Amino acid sequence: MVNTQMRSKMITALQWYADQGVDGCVVDNAINKLTFKPEESLPSPVYEKLHQNIMEQARNTVEALPDRTFLGKAEACEEALRLAMQADSLEALAQAIKNFEGIALKKTAGNMVFSAGNPKARIMLVGEAPEAEEDRQGLPFVGESGQLLDRILGCIDISRNENDPQKSIYISNILNWRPPGNRTPSPAEIEVSLPFIERHIQLVKPKVLILCGGVAAKALLGQDKSISKLRNCWHDYVPVTRGLGDDVEPIPAIATYHPSYLLRTPRQKKLVWADMLALQNFCQKNLEH
Ligand code: URA
């Protein structure tokens, strides 16, 4: 018998599954949906057994959930914002992200990827999400696209390994966990991750932001335009997440193509080169007195 509390937990669990895009149950054997007639093909005890198994699995899943598991997107976003706002240092923020149970990617990823580079740098770059190598090492942009990024930044004399804030960069991503198979993050995953990256930016207080790729640019500028429309101009970045503070100084932000895209489309490198020169020019004019 399922009591009211269990029933309500199961309904919330189903809601969570639906929010993650799970819209059906998988059984052990494939069923031909064109010919399947449950009443005729399955004697009712078999059907009942199947139902019992599914209910048992659901119960086990619910019981295995830690106490503070967030089962709906709205609840997860609220908790993400609460935790992000509580974090008053980068260490506290990294710990908050690690403890947060409201993003299913945490279960499939190998390591959390928080940041790399110099937190005192005047430039902060935000990418999309870790890929396989980043997931293995727990560091952003260390795979093939990261190596290209380092070469691009090197052309304007910027490096993640520099101590001098004028020559260094601090790097993070919208998502801290790798989406399986490097798929594009879902809108729900981006939404629930935004309070963390926006708090991350608030704590680092960069003088300039590089939004690397369409996902980062759209998410942090709150705009639904393509990266080709968002690049080639300066934006004033202010937090998109409501509740992160209204009284914030806008940060100049430039959007550019993602190095993964450049690996597939090298002819666009000249546009990124133009973006880097615009960045260098901006820094020389506005940040070096
Ligand atoms: N792509 C990203 O957007 N971020 C990484 O850290 C690696 C690849």
Side-chain angles (χ1 to χ4, degrees), residues 38-284:
E39 323 74 42
E40 288 169 22
S41 11
L42 283 176
S44 67
V46 175
Y47 210 47
E48 226 163 69
K49 183 88 191 119
L50 192 61
H51 182 251
Q52 270 173 14
N53 286 348
I54 290 171
M55 293 303 279
E56 197 180 321
Q57 272 178 25
R59 255 195 303 277
N60 291 342
T61 308
V62 170
E63 271 156 18
L65 295 172
D67 278 353
R68 282 310 280 142
T69 294
F70 305 98
L71 300 164
K73 193 182 74 179
E75 197 189 358
C77 288
E78 244 173 61
E79 183 64 1
L81 177 60
R82 194 184 67 77
L83 291 175
M85 286 307 286
Q86 259 178 14
D88 55 6
S89 66
L90 292 177
E91 295 72 26
L93 184 66
Q95 197 54 52
I97 295 170
K98 209 169 226 169
N99 295 343
F100 178 59
E101 298 293 344
I103 185 156
L105 295 178
K106 178 179 170 178
K107 297 198 170 58
T108 49
N111 284 299
M112 181 183 82
V113 175
F114 185 67
S115 70
N118 181 356
K120 294 203 166 65
R122 54 189 194 174
I123 304 173
M124 176 168 179
L125 177 141
V126 182
E128 179 177 322
E131 294 182 1
E133 194 51 36
E134 288 78 18
D135 181 65
R136 253 191 296 280
Q137 296 191 32
L139 289 168
F141 283 103
V142 286
E144 203 185 347
S145 65
Q147 286 156 23
L148 175 56
L149 176 67
D150 284 344
R151 289 199 297 278
I152 293 170
L153 294 170
C155 291
I156 52 164
D157 207 16
I158 298 288
S159 157
R160 65 172 90 190
N161 300 318
E162 256 294 337
N163 284 329
D164 178 353
Q166 292 210 17
K167 292 186 163 191
S168 57
I169 189 160
Y170 184 73
I171 300 176
S172 189
N173 281 308
I174 299 285
L175 264 66
N176 300 97
W177 307 98
R178 179 192 183 207
N182 305 339
R183 64 161 169 74
T184 304
S186 71
E189 287 159 355
I190 293 173
E191 200 179 331
V192 84
S193 305
L194 263 179
F196 292 120
I197 184 60
E198 296 210 283
R199 182 70 183 147
H200 204 154
I201 296 169
Q202 270 187 346
L203 289 169
V204 174
K205 298 191 196 72
K207 301 270 186 286
V208 187
L209 273 172
I210 305 177
L211 310 177
C212 190
V215 167
K218 285 187 205 179
L220 290 175
L221 298 174
Q223 293 195 37
D224 199 22
K225 293 185 190 157
S226 67
I227 182 69
S228 55
K229 297 230 163 66
L230 291 172
R231 65 165 287 282
N232 202 23
C233 64
W234 283 93
H235 302 267
D236 275 338
Y237 162 78
V238 284
V240 176
T241 307
R242 287 226 204 107
L244 265 182
D246 306 321
D247 195 17
V248 286
E249 274 282 296
I251 302 173
I254 192 168
T256 192
Y257 289 114
H258 194 285
S260 299
Y261 171 69
L262 296 184
L263 288 170
R264 298 191 301 273
T265 324
R267 71 190 147 80
Q268 300 291 49
K269 282 183 183 170
K270 59 181 183 292
L271 298 180
V272 174
W273 177 233
D275 296 337
M276 293 303 108
L277 290 180
L279 173 74
Q280 190 179 44
N281 199 18
F282 178 93
C283 292
Q284 282 165 356

